[in-house]
């Protein structure tokens, strides 16, 4: 069975708080661990009212304390927002707290406009151009090297599994060149998925960390007892995608029956394109969708992105998905 992992945006629900969002993520991570998911990743976003994972390393420490076996990680850290030295310290510390459980996914997209760049005190566009060099510096620091003559005691020798993340060919090429595992954000940017997977595999150069390509792809998943109920639950994230693409991001909203049918044709087409990599439905429907996606991509792992307004439905979706996936083929 192909390993499944979980990507959590730490969504803040309409009418909820950041503290409640963090509590929901703890309960979801614990459920994912019980169900047998391999990894639980948190994504870094800033300046967004509906996403509470901006202080990613702090959130991961909270999740690590609440779990015991599942790998925890960043999916990912947007490195242009930071210095490699600070990220090395943070994730080296996490590795000391949670040995053998820490992943560090690295993204190049700054994910910030000019106002946020000013708030971060960073020239993030120039930093994005330095991304390959910064990744190499991080590798050096975890290997115990004093890059630039400055040691990183917390990072030296830390057992941190580094990944390159991407939604374009740039990340695929870099991961291949450095011999690193590669995760593709097909759950919201599916257009370059197949080409990125091909480029990564064809150009991969073995490294000390990895002797062959290791590719993970993301897929939106919502499982419920019936196809209709799952579509209803998934309408909360449908609304979030529409709000984001129309410049009005906000908190995770309650589900709406037949939401897509209420949209004008251009918005519906946009939503169907960005949500095309999805498995939404009954356990049987979700299993078929995941198996088809795995066959299409040849992925070594899949990571499921899930957020429902009802936290109990979110946990139940993870449970149903894994239960269905473990059933023998008929």
């Amino acid at each position: 069975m192909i390993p499944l992992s979980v990507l959590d945006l730490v969504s803040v629900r309409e009418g909820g708080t950041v503290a409640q969002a963090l509590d929901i993520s703890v309960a979801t991570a614990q459920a994912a661990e019980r169900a047998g998911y391999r990894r639980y990743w948190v994504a870094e976003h800033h300046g967004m009212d509906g996403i509470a994972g901006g202080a990613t390393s702090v959130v991961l420490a909270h999740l690590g304390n609440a779990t015991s076996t599942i790998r925890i990680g960043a999916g990912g850290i947007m490195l242009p927002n930071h210095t490699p030295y600070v990220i090395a310290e943070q994730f080296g510390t996490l590795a000391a707290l949670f040995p053998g459980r820490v992943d560090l996914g690295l993204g190049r997209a700054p994910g910030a406009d000019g106002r946020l760049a000013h708030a971060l005190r960073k020239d993030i566009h120039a930093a994005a151009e330095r991304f390959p060099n910064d990744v190499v510096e991080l590798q050096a620091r975890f290997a115990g090297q004093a890059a630039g003559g400055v040691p990183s005691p917390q990072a030296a020798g830390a057992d941190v599994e580094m990944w390159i993340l991407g939604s374009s060919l740039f990340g695929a090429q870099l991961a291949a060149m450095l011999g690193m595992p590669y995760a593709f954000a097909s759950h919201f940017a599916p257009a370059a998925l197949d080409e990125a997977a091909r480029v990564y595999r064809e150009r991969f150069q073995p490294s000390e960390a990895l002797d062959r390509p290791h590719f993970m792809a993301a897929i939106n998943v919502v499982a419920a007892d019936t196809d209709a109920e799952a579509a209803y639950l998934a309408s909360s994230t449908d609304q979030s995608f529409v709000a984001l693409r129309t410049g009005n991001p906000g908190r995770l909203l309650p589900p709406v029956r037949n939401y897509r049918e209420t949209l004008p044709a251009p918005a519906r087409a946009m939503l169907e394109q960005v949500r095309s990599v999805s498995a939404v439905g009954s356990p049987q429907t979700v299993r078929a969708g995941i198996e088809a996606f795995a066959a299409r991509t040849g992925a070594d792992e899949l990571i499921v992105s899930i957020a429902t307004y009802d936290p109990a439905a979110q946990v139940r979706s993870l449970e149903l998905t894994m239960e269905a996936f473990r059933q023998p083929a008929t």
Side-chain angles (χ1 to χ4, degrees):
M1 186 180 81
I2 186 172
L4 297 181
S5 297
V6 179
L7 175 63
D8 182 9
L9 298 183
V10 195
S11 299
V12 183
R13 276 78 179 165
E14 183 72 20
T17 66
V18 169
Q20 289 170 338
L22 292 168
D23 287 343
I24 291 167
S25 288
V26 164
T28 307
Q30 291 170 335
E33 182 173 77
R34 290 192 302 268
Y37 288 83
R38 174 174 285 187
R39 312 173 193 274
Y40 198 91
W41 282 7
V42 173
E44 175 192 347
H45 294 84
H46 297 290
M48 299 182 71
D49 187 48
I51 299 179
T56 310
S57 60
V58 179
V59 176
L60 292 176
H62 185 52
L63 295 177
N65 277 320
T67 54
S68 58
T69 58
I70 195 168
R71 296 190 68 91
I72 55 172
I77 289 292
M78 298 298 106
L79 196 50
N81 297 338
H82 310 276
T83 64
Y85 188 89
V86 170
I87 296 301
E89 284 189 325
Q90 291 177 359
F91 279 79
T93 302
L94 286 170
L97 291 169
F98 312 109
R101 296 178 57 199
V102 176
D103 300 331
L104 173 54
L106 298 167
R108 174 176 177 257
D113 59 19
R115 294 169 299 171
L116 185 52
H118 178 73
L120 292 170
R121 303 295 194 270
K122 290 276 288 183
D123 184 345
I124 52 178
H125 298 290
E129 295 302 315
R130 295 194 302 271
F131 179 70
N133 292 334
D134 287 350
V135 172
V136 171
E137 179 182 329
L138 269 172
Q139 290 179 316
R141 293 194 178 281
F142 288 129
Q145 300 173 27
V150 181
S152 308
Q154 298 92 335
D159 181 11
V160 176
E161 187 173 296
M162 291 179 62
W163 289 67
I164 295 294
L165 313 184
S167 58
S168 68
L169 300 186
F170 179 90
Q173 293 167 342
L174 181 63
M177 181 179 69
L178 296 178
M180 295 175 63
Y182 178 54
F184 191 85
S186 37
H187 63 300
F188 73 86
L193 167 63
D194 300 308
E195 183 68 3
R198 182 191 66 78
V199 166
Y200 171 63
R201 293 186 179 111
E202 288 183 355
R203 302 188 184 184
F204 183 84
Q205 300 177 28
S207 66
E208 290 186 9
L210 202 61
D211 62 356
R212 69 178 81 180
H214 191 89
F215 179 64
M216 179 160 65
I219 179 172
N220 299 291
V221 173
V222 177
D225 291 330
T226 66
D227 288 353
E229 182 65 13
Y232 170 64
L233 294 172
S235 68
S236 292
T237 44
D238 285 348
Q239 293 176 76
S240 294
F241 272 109
V242 172
L244 180 64
R245 292 301 177 98
T246 55
N248 189 34
R251 298 190 170 194
L252 190 67
L253 296 173
V256 174
R257 296 282 179 192
N258 303 313
Y259 171 69
R260 295 195 183 194
E261 285 72 14
T262 69
L263 295 173
R268 189 184 312 169
M270 176 276 297
L271 180 60
E272 290 176 352
Q273 191 275 328
V274 299
R275 297 274 282 167
S276 61
V277 175
S278 300
V280 176
S282 68
Q284 295 78 14
T285 299
V286 165
R287 172 171 172 159
I290 290 176
E291 288 180 339
F293 184 63
R296 168 188 166 183
T297 60
D300 301 287
E301 299 186 38
L302 296 179
I303 187 164
V304 303
S305 177
I306 175 175
T308 64
Y309 185 79
D310 178 359
Q314 182 166 291
V315 167
R316 182 62 175 151
S317 176
L318 288 177
E319 294 170 342
L320 288 173
T321 298
M322 188 60 80
E323 289 170 8
F325 214 57
R326 283 179 166 164
Q327 292 297 317
T330 57

